[in-house]
Structures are given as C-alpha cells and as structure tokens.
Amino acid sequence: MLVAALAGVVVVLVGAWLLLQAQPPDGRDNTDARVSATPAPGDPTGPSDGQSPGGGEASPGTATATGPGPGGTAGEVMPPGEPVEIPDVVGRPVAEAEEALRTAGLTNIIRTTRLDDRPAGSVIGMHPAAGSEVSRDAAIELDVSDGPGHTTVPDLVGRSEVDARSGLYSAGLVMVIQENSGPSTVGPGLVERTVPAGGTQVAHDTTVTITIVSRQVAVPDVVDQSAATATATLRDYGFDVVEERGAGSQPAGVVIAQLPRAGLVTRGATVTITVSQPRSNGDSQVTQTPEPPPVP
C-alpha cells in the first residue's frame, strides 16, 4: 500500500512539473501570440511590397510585381521583340546608312572596309542582306569602300619586259606595251620609258604604258650627211659603225655610201659607211692656158 501511495505522489508531481514548463512566463495563454491583425480594406498600415500579409518576408522564389513594365501593367511579362526588316543602305554614305539602321532599331553595327573602285566611305555590301528579318540585337555588317587605294609606279627603265610585267603586277597596276623601232638609249628588248613615270603615286589598277625597244630596226639612210652626224644617228639606232674612206665627187668628210643601205636589221649589227676623202695632188685638176693665136 505504501508503495502504491508513493507511486501516486510521483505521478502527480511529474504532471505538475510538465504543466509549469508549458505555461508562458507572463502567465498568458500562448494562443494570443498567434493572432495577427488583418487590416481592414483601405487601411494604409497594410503590408508593404515584399512582405507577406502577416508582416514577414516573402518566401524565396515567389514572383513579386514591383510595378508595371514599360507599356504594360503590374505583373505583366513583356513578349519578345518583333523581328525587324533590314533596310537597304547599299550605295549610301556610311554615316547615313548607320543612321537608317539605328532608326529601324538595329544598333549592333559592324563596319569593315576594303579597297574598291566605288567612292570611299560608301556602303558596297551588307550582311545579312537587305530585306531580311532579324532580331533587334542581331549584328549587321556593313562593307565600306576605302577607295581604290594608292600605289607607286616602279622604276622599270632598262629592265626586261618580263621584269616589268612582274613589277607592275605586284604593284597592282595594269600594263600596256608599245614598241619603239627608232633611236633609243637602252638596249633592244628593254624598257625605254613608262607613262606615268617611275615613282609616281597612282590609284590601284591604273594603266601604265611601257615602251620596249624593238629588236629589229629599219636602217636609216645617212648618205650625204657628214661622217660625224651619220655615225651618231646610226649609233642611236643601236648599230656599230665602221668608217671607210673613198673617192667621190662630194666634199671631204661626207658619206658617199653605206652598207646595208636599207631594210630591217637587228640592233647591234654593223653598218659600214664610206666617207669622201680629200683629193690628193695627183688627183688635182690641171688647168690649161690657151695658146695665143699665131702672128700673120
């Protein structure tokens, strides 16, 4: 009996201790702390943006409208932009072309330049092509002419035709050949002059005319010229000159014959000229004095 009584006392004490642990310090019922005042409609003291109605922070991941977007209402998601048609700006000045693209809503513009015959600063191509529909953030590449560019005519005088052709090609120039079959100061088959002259600044693809000295030439007629003049003329044509003396009716020092006299001859060939020499005493003309008539 005593044991049963002691057990009953222990149970009562444990129950009382548990009740004391559950009681709040101020002795009030815990249910009062769970009641939140719900503001009446129109109450300015209601919850602010980003808070739950109970006054706490909004749960993570919750979509919260912070105000209407451009052109929309609160909480509205703006649809992606409509495709934009690329305007045709080829042939227009680059500044004007870029302004037209920006006006159309295209601002991602890439400019590249290259040499071209069309005016410098003009648009000569575009990618994507005009009329294509793209998004507003698409890259638009404009090909812009940098003009024909400039290069220098190389110095080709005295060089062969093959060398001249290679030099002009490397400089971005076009070659036209003409032949000189007359006097020249350079050898046969070589460049005598260029038009424009070497060292001149010109646009790419400019035509340069080169004059090549012919390998054959017509022998000039130097008969009746002085020996000095005839020799200079023949050497200007590229001939070697051999001078011989001969008797003739011409004054001394005048060419009275040449060999060859005419025809096409290779430059560097020999032309022989015969030059009149002074008369010797034996060749002097004897003058006879007429005898007086006999006396009758």
Side-chain angles (χ1 to χ4, degrees), residues 87-278:
D88 187 0
V89 296
V90 173
R92 299 168 69 174
V94 63
E96 182 180 320
E98 291 180 349
E99 181 62 28
L101 291 172
R102 293 190 185 96
T103 300
L106 302 168
T107 58
N108 188 6
I109 302 170
I110 301 172
R111 184 193 302 186
T112 60
T113 60
R114 58 186 172 92
L115 297 178
D116 193 85
D117 290 336
R118 283 165 283 190
S122 61
V123 177
I124 56 178
M126 60 188 303
H127 311 281
S132 303
E133 291 190 347
V134 297
S135 61
R136 293 181 181 273
D137 61 351
I140 309 298
E141 182 178 346
L142 298 181
D143 292 334
V144 182
S145 171
D146 206 19
H150 292 82
T151 186
T152 303
V153 178
D155 186 3
L156 303 173
V157 174
R159 297 172 62 179
S160 68
E161 177 184 336
V162 174
D163 288 346
R165 188 182 300 276
S166 176
L168 292 174
Y169 178 82
S170 297
L173 300 171
V174 179
M175 184 176 75
V176 172
I177 299 176
Q178 67 180 19
E179 190 176 67
N180 174 25
S181 57
S184 177
T185 57
V186 299
L190 302 180
V191 177
E192 181 182 50
R193 63 179 176 272
T194 64
V195 179
T200 305
Q201 289 283 320
V202 296
H204 284 280
D205 296 325
T206 294
T207 298
V208 177
T209 302
I210 66 171
T211 301
I212 302 290
V213 178
S214 64
R215 298 185 180 277
Q216 287 191 316
V217 65
V219 180
D221 187 356
V222 295
V223 173
D224 294 333
Q225 295 181 13
S226 68
T229 300
T231 299
T233 298
L234 292 170
R235 286 177 177 167
D236 284 345
Y237 278 81
F239 296 118
D240 291 331
V241 181
V242 173
E243 184 177 319
E244 295 180 350
R245 297 287 178 173
S249 60
Q250 296 289 347
V254 174
V255 177
I256 58 176
Q258 73 178 69
L259 186 68
R261 180 69 183 264
L264 286 175
V265 181
T266 302
R267 292 182 191 266
T270 298
V271 177
T272 301
I273 60 174
T274 302
V275 181
S276 176
Q277 62 181 357

Side-chain angles (χ1 to χ4, degrees), residues 6-107:
L6 290 174
V9 171
V10 171
V11 169
V12 171
L13 292 175
V14 170
W17 180 81
L18 291 175
L19 287 175
L20 289 174
Q21 292 297 319
Q23 183 68 26
D26 57 2
R28 290 179 300 175
D29 193 336
N30 220 13
T31 57
D32 292 342
R34 296 193 297 269
V35 177
S36 61
T38 302
D43 188 349
T45 62
S48 61
D49 290 342
Q51 291 185 334
S52 63
E57 294 293 330
S59 301
T62 303
T64 304
T66 57
T73 59
E76 179 181 89
V77 178
M78 295 298 292
E82 294 293 330
V84 177
E85 182 175 335
I86 302 175
D88 187 0
V89 296
V90 173
R92 299 168 69 174
V94 63
E96 182 180 320
E98 291 180 349
E99 181 62 28
L101 291 172
R102 293 190 185 96
T103 300
L106 302 168
T107 58

